[in-house]
């Protein structure tokens, strides 16, 4: 199987963490693809043009990251082990995916859109979703997360690696101390996750930029 992803994608990092937790590295190869690349093949695999996408056979590709994660856990027979309380896990995933949507949208607003077209109200609204989500996790951490290899913990840890990468100038570590204490402890305990942290990577030359 081929996972199309990019090293900085928070959704891709979540899937890669699940691949490791399910010991599926031999069955899934990762191919780097930037979703803003002008391409001819990728939209045939995922009409939405978004990564991650997992090609599972010559004529079948699945998306989005939530479906891919459940597919991998199911195939590996690990669903119950990683999600003993499935709806609790899925609720945390929904929250984190929403925060990731907001964070990626903030990144796109400032990175892909020319300055004169950027909308600060839009940026601030996305930032509010991100910070409200962090506050929610910070305040409910004892009932939502722990130090075990569970799906919800993998979702939060990989997402925070993206926040560290893209928003290191924000006061998040200071504002959500409990959440970051959990994160640092988790990354220390599960050092295998270092390899799937969000990373900067050169953006290919053939990408579409927003112009109008
Ligand atoms: N709900 C999707 C979100 C995936 C997503 O937004 N991926 C970004 C990269 S991190 C993307 O491909 N963006 C391209 C675009 O929006 O056109 C999932 O969970 O897989």
């Amino acid at each position: 199987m081929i996972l199309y992803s990019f090293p900085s994608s928070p959704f891709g990092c979540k899937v890669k963490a699940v691949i490791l937790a399910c010991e599926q590295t031999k069955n899934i190869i990762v191919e780097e693809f930037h979703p803003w690349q002008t391409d001819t093949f990728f939209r045939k695999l995922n009409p939405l043009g978004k990564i991650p996408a997992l090609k599972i056979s010559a004529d079948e590709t699945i998306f989005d990251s939530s479906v891919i994660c459940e597919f991998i856990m199911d195939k590996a027979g690990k669903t119950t082990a990683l999600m003993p309380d499935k709806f609790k896990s899925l609720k945390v995933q929904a929250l984190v995916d929403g925060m990731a949507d907001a964070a990626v949208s903030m990144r796109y607003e400032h990175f892909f859109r020319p300055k004169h077209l950027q909308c600060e109200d839009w940026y601030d609204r996305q930032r509010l979703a991100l910070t409200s989500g962090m506050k929610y996790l910070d305040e409910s951490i004892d009932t939502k997360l722990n130090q075990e290899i569970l799906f919800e913990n993998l979702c939060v840890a990989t997402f925070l690696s993206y926040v560290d990468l893209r928003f290191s100038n924000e006061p998040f570590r200071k504002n959500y101390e409990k959440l970051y204490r959990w994160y640092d402890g988790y990354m220390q305990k599960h050092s295998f996750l270092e390899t799937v942290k969000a990373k900067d990577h050169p953006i290919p030359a053939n990408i579409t930029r927003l112009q109008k």
Side-chain angles (χ1 to χ4, degrees), residues 146-160:
N146 59 33
Q147 292 291 326
E148 305 307 314
I149 299 181
L150 295 178
F151 182 54
E152 56 269 37
N153 299 326
L154 299 176
C155 290
V156 177
T158 49
F159 175 62
L160 289 179

Side-chain angles (χ1 to χ4, degrees), residues 6 8-12 14-15 34-36 42-43 46 48-53 63-68 93 97 100-101 104 108 162:
F6 203 71
S8 54
S9 166
F11 303 97
K14 174 181 66 171
V15 171
H34 194 283
W36 290 67
F42 191 68
R43 262 181 214 270
N46 178 359
L48 303 175
K50 293 189 180 200
I51 54 156
F63 48 89
D64 67 27
S65 62
S66 58
V67 178
I68 298 172
Q93 175 180 232
D97 280 0
D101 280 333
V104 168
Y108 286 169
Y162 175 77

